[in-house]
Amino acid sequence: MAVAGTRGTVVEDATFNVEDDIQRLRGAMKGTGTDEAAIIEVLTRRTIAQRQRIKEGYKQRVGKNLADDVDSELSGNFQKVVLGLLMLPPVYDAYELRTAMKGAGTEEACLIDILASRTADEVRTINGVYKKEYETSLEDDVCGDTSGMFQRVLVSLLTAGRDPNMAVDQNMAAQDAKDIFEAGEARWGTDEVKFLTVLCARNRNHLLRVFEEYQKVSGRDIEESIKREMSGSLEEVFLAIVKCLKNKPGFFAERLYKSMKGLGTTDSVLIRIMVARAEIDMLDIKAEFFKMYGKTLYSFIKGDTSGDYRKVLLALCGEDK
């Protein structure tokens, strides 16, 4: 399960008092009107663990679920962010995956963002939570909603079978690089299974060496070859796997940038990353964002959103630097 890192913008509040927070939240939602500022201040300045204590205490003292009150009092994207903040990380990931596959159409970006970036342990926990919450296996739902080689890559990621060992076998790395080259650039058509076998099963240190060897063998970066050899969701998932292995905060920075640049905002992506990474590596994501785009993540969010939705996202983003 995703655990708090040391690079989050949300950190433990040393003055945390569960009773005070319950009273503030209760007061913010009782009677006519809602004090959105109080909700933002309490929930964005508490860690996931502290929010769980608030949830438990709220239910004991008020006799209602905090999430139910939030659901009835708030609306739109602001509501989605606050409800996400009240969930444990694997519960939130499972919920997002379920939402992405529910109804007509599938939000492939969600499946890719989550399954390509989570660790094997995190994926195992998500699988368990999904089964418990929705009484069906995540793999079955993924198979029912996707097809072809894209489906096979997702199923492979769902097995959480990536080698846990961090050792690098130089000879094997050279062979893996050669195999991928021969499965793609060196032949007519592409043997995607070879890419799957290497990219979904080998450990991170080994794959970073494979990418170096691949550059030597092919004269190209592995990302460039994936773009040349593949298209659509399959291209996206392989690129996401590679980018997460190379630089996970950089991957999320790029996803955030693309969710906001140009006309319109892909709110589902923006919300998911801001909620899921606030306590893990948001400081690193912000640094990568500035390095890649020459502007702060804070300024991008401020310019692309409005109202309480903007305020809650900026609180999760942390100060403008």
Side-chain angles (χ1 to χ4, degrees):
M1 121 181 205
V3 292
T6 56
R7 302 291 301 155
T9 46
V10 174
V11 295
E12 195 164 280
D13 180 5
T15 64
F16 174 59
N17 183 307
V18 71
E19 295 293 342
D20 288 351
D21 285 349
I22 291 165
Q23 289 306 319
R24 283 200 73 189
L25 291 170
R26 182 69 179 137
M29 294 185 283
K30 203 166 61 174
T32 53
T34 308
D35 183 356
E36 288 88 354
I39 294 169
I40 293 169
E41 190 181 336
V42 171
L43 296 180
T44 61
R45 295 182 182 178
R46 308 293 181 266
T47 60
I48 294 160
Q50 288 175 331
R51 286 183 216 126
Q52 295 309 303
R53 286 184 59 195
I54 293 167
K55 268 173 68 178
E56 289 161 15
Y58 192 94
K59 192 170 188 177
Q60 285 170 353
R61 288 154 189 73
V62 182
K64 293 168 80 177
N65 281 320
L66 177 55
D68 290 343
D69 277 357
V70 165
D71 199 32
S72 64
E73 291 289 328
L74 310 182
S75 61
N77 288 323
F78 177 49
Q79 178 203 66
K80 288 176 184 173
V81 175
V82 175
L83 287 174
L85 291 173
L86 293 174
M87 296 182 202
L88 285 166
V91 176
Y92 183 61
D93 282 345
Y95 170 80
E96 285 289 294
L97 290 165
R98 178 73 167 181
T99 305
M101 294 183 284
K102 212 167 55 177
T106 305
E107 191 204 339
E108 282 90 357
C110 174
L111 307 184
I112 294 167
D113 282 359
I114 292 175
L115 297 180
S117 66
R118 303 310 189 249
T119 65
D121 283 344
E122 286 166 355
V123 171
R124 276 189 282 273
T125 306
I126 293 164
N127 274 320
V129 167
Y130 194 96
K131 182 86 173 175
K132 185 181 170 192
E133 294 280 329
Y134 306 111
E135 297 180 343
T136 180
S137 84
L138 179 50
E139 185 183 323
D140 286 348
D141 278 359
V142 165
C143 287
D145 252 60
T146 58
S147 60
M149 188 53 65
F150 176 56
Q151 178 195 92
R152 288 170 68 176
V153 174
L154 295 180
V155 167
S156 177
L157 292 171
L158 281 169
T159 64
R162 190 176 297 287
D163 175 17
N165 196 335
M166 282 291 114
V168 177
D169 181 329
Q170 181 55 45
N171 292 333
M172 189 179 175
Q175 187 60 50
D176 281 343
K178 185 166 172 281
D179 288 348
I180 293 176
F181 176 65
E182 290 175 355
E185 294 279 7
R187 56 174 275 169
W188 180 257
T190 308
D191 179 4
E192 293 103 343
V193 177
K194 263 298 181 232
F195 281 80
L196 184 159
T197 302
V198 175
L199 294 179
C200 295
R202 308 288 193 257
N203 73 61
R204 178 174 182 264
N205 288 353
H206 180 86
L207 281 168
L208 293 177
R209 184 66 59 82
V210 171
F211 301 155
E212 289 173 12
E213 292 296 324
Y214 185 86
Q215 181 87 40
K216 292 180 198 169
V217 172
S218 68
R220 284 198 178 90
D221 187 88
I222 183 75
E223 290 179 41
E224 194 187 332
S225 288
I226 289 169
K227 287 175 189 169
R228 285 164 54 93
E229 293 295 314
M230 296 166 204
S231 61
S233 296
L234 184 62
E235 176 191 338
E236 290 298 323
V237 73
F238 277 136
L239 282 175
I241 291 167
V242 170
K243 286 173 180 177
C244 283
L245 288 163
K246 286 181 177 179
N247 178 354
K248 199 176 287 186
F251 168 74
F252 286 122
E254 182 187 4
R255 296 291 291 128
L256 286 166
Y257 176 76
K258 287 182 175 176
S259 78
M260 292 182 280
K261 75 169 183 140
L263 289 172
T265 306
T266 312
D267 294 296
S268 58
V269 174
L270 177 56
I271 293 168
R272 183 166 53 246
I273 296 173
M274 295 306 294
V275 169
R277 310 308 295 187
E279 205 174 319
I280 300 171
D281 52 3
M282 188 56 67
L283 292 173
D284 295 324
I285 291 168
K286 286 167 68 177
E288 289 295 330
F289 193 97
F290 188 76
K291 190 163 49 170
M292 292 160 78
Y293 306 110
K295 291 182 178 174
T296 63
L297 175 58
Y298 188 100
S299 68
F300 247 72
I301 293 170
K302 191 175 181 182
D304 227 63
T305 56
S306 61
D308 293 313
Y309 176 44
R310 174 201 276 163
K311 288 173 188 169
V312 74
L313 290 180
L314 290 179
L316 292 173
C317 178
E319 53 199 41
D320 187 12
K321 64 177 187 180

